[in-house]
Amino acid sequence: MKVIQTVADFRLVQREYPRSLGLVPTMGYLHEGHLSLVRRCREDNATAVASIFVNPTQFGPSEDLSTYPRDMEGDLAKLEAEGVDLVFAPDVSEMYQEGFDTTIDVGDIARRLEGEHRPGHFQGVATVVCKLLTIVRPDNVYFGQKDAQQCLVIKRLNADLDLGAEVIVLPTVRDPDGLAMSSRNAYLSDGDHEAALSLYRSLRLAESLYSEGVRDGDAMRREMLALLESEPSATVEYVSIADAVTLVELKSLDRPSLISMAVRIGRVRLIDNVVLGA
């Protein structure tokens, strides 16, 4: 496995490797969710590439960039064990050289939900993903369903700018108790971990209501909010029931619907989702 830190070196080295080429973009501190993407990438492609880059432009001024968990040594060991061929691990100065002043606005889909609650977040995501797709030129790129809105934003970016990758979205990977795997779970105390299960329970409640024939979006939101708000350490930012493609909020679940939420458990902000009616 080769670890490469500059754009110029990556472009030179990748010519030695066969197509097809798959990419798994990450911010490191890898868990089983990331590794499930890596395994699929390895299975699908002649050459498997992972990137590790904690992207500063997708963090707000009061967010956790400085304390975001990092473990480069451990990450590289995990990627090597999974048979990754190339790791692109640039410094911030390599990705955003002095004078860098370009951002990408993906439009309405990036201004809803996370875009509303984290202004500028998806501009940062879209900009860095565009750079990665331009540098790596993958045939396939892999993301997890846990970041459902991010997946929709990247699909739109890829289509609108003709970046040429096939965007492959794989199911959310969960702990045995149902908590969606996330690098930020490392911040949770034992008590917080138990409280964080309220997100999964609220999604299971939505699934149960849907299976019983409930299609009233407002009624479903009320039930989910009541469950989340019964957890003392939970602060709900939003519960959304939206069209699974456009993210327009729905009064009635009469089409594939993305049920999503952002909830703070203590100081840790968590997101989760499920699609109904697909």
Side-chain angles (χ1 to χ4, degrees):
M1 184 177 79
K2 292 185 179 179
V3 181
I4 302 166
Q5 294 182 297
T6 71
V7 173
D9 285 348
F10 187 88
R11 285 177 169 157
L12 282 173
V13 168
Q14 73 161 326
R15 297 173 188 169
E16 304 168 9
Y17 288 81
R19 311 296 294 201
S20 61
L21 184 150
L23 170 66
V24 181
T26 83
M27 292 207 301
Y29 209 71
L30 304 181
H31 52 68
E32 186 61 26
H34 299 111
L35 298 181
S36 71
L37 304 180
V38 170
R39 292 182 194 119
R40 175 65 181 273
C41 177
R42 175 73 285 168
E43 178 183 330
D44 288 352
N45 299 279
T47 299
V49 180
S51 64
I52 300 174
F53 180 64
V54 180
N55 177 37
T57 66
Q58 68 189 67
F59 288 78
S62 62
E63 294 183 343
D64 58 343
L65 174 61
S66 63
T67 59
Y68 191 84
R70 294 163 169 85
D71 180 17
M72 182 63 76
E73 183 178 350
D75 290 343
L76 294 177
K78 290 173 183 176
L79 293 174
E80 187 161 29
E82 297 295 343
V84 168
D85 298 297
L86 297 170
V87 177
F88 181 50
D91 291 333
V92 172
S93 61
E94 179 68 15
M95 293 295 277
Y96 299 111
Q97 296 179 5
E98 186 176 355
F100 187 95
D101 198 28
T102 298
T103 59
I104 296 176
D105 183 344
V106 185
D108 190 58
I109 200 167
R111 286 189 274 274
R112 300 179 181 276
L113 303 178
E114 291 294 284
E116 179 181 350
H117 289 266
R118 301 179 67 188
H121 170 68
F122 281 124
Q123 284 191 338
V125 169
T127 302
V128 77
V129 170
C130 185
K131 285 178 67 69
L132 288 170
L133 294 182
T134 303
I135 294 162
V136 178
R137 296 290 183 184
D139 299 286
N140 303 300
V141 61
Y142 298 82
F143 295 93
Q145 173 66 23
K146 186 184 77 71
D147 298 297
Q149 185 177 11
Q150 174 178 276
C151 294
L152 293 171
V153 167
I154 290 166
K155 285 183 175 181
R156 173 55 54 200
L157 166 78
N158 183 60
D160 286 355
L161 299 185
D162 297 310
L163 297 175
E166 180 75 18
V167 179
I168 297 171
V169 179
L170 298 183
T172 301
V173 177
R174 299 181 180 278
D175 288 336
D177 57 15
L179 183 65
M181 289 190 176
S182 167
S183 298
R184 288 185 171 93
N185 290 355
Y187 300 149
L188 296 171
S189 67
D190 289 345
D192 287 341
H193 184 105
E194 180 62 31
L197 297 179
S198 59
L199 279 77
Y200 182 58
R201 288 195 292 268
S202 69
L203 292 176
R204 291 298 302 271
L205 172 61
E207 290 176 321
S208 177
L209 291 169
Y210 189 85
S211 69
E212 293 168 5
V214 174
R215 298 294 183 270
D216 185 321
D218 290 336
M220 188 176 287
R221 285 186 196 90
R222 284 195 298 271
E223 295 276 355
M224 294 176 69
L225 277 168
L227 188 156
L228 289 166
E229 291 171 349
S230 70
E231 171 52 57
S233 61
T235 302
V236 180
E237 287 196 6
Y238 65 81
V239 171
S240 168
I241 297 175
D243 183 288
V245 176
T246 67
L247 299 185
V248 172
E249 293 294 316
L250 296 176
K251 290 286 188 182
S252 175
L253 284 76
D254 57 0
R255 68 198 77 173
S257 306
L258 179 70
I259 317 302
S260 65
M261 67 192 68
V263 181
R264 290 189 181 274
I265 303 295
R267 66 186 182 92
V268 185
R269 187 179 187 275
L270 300 174
I271 60 174
D272 206 346
N273 69 86
V274 68
V275 176
L276 300 180

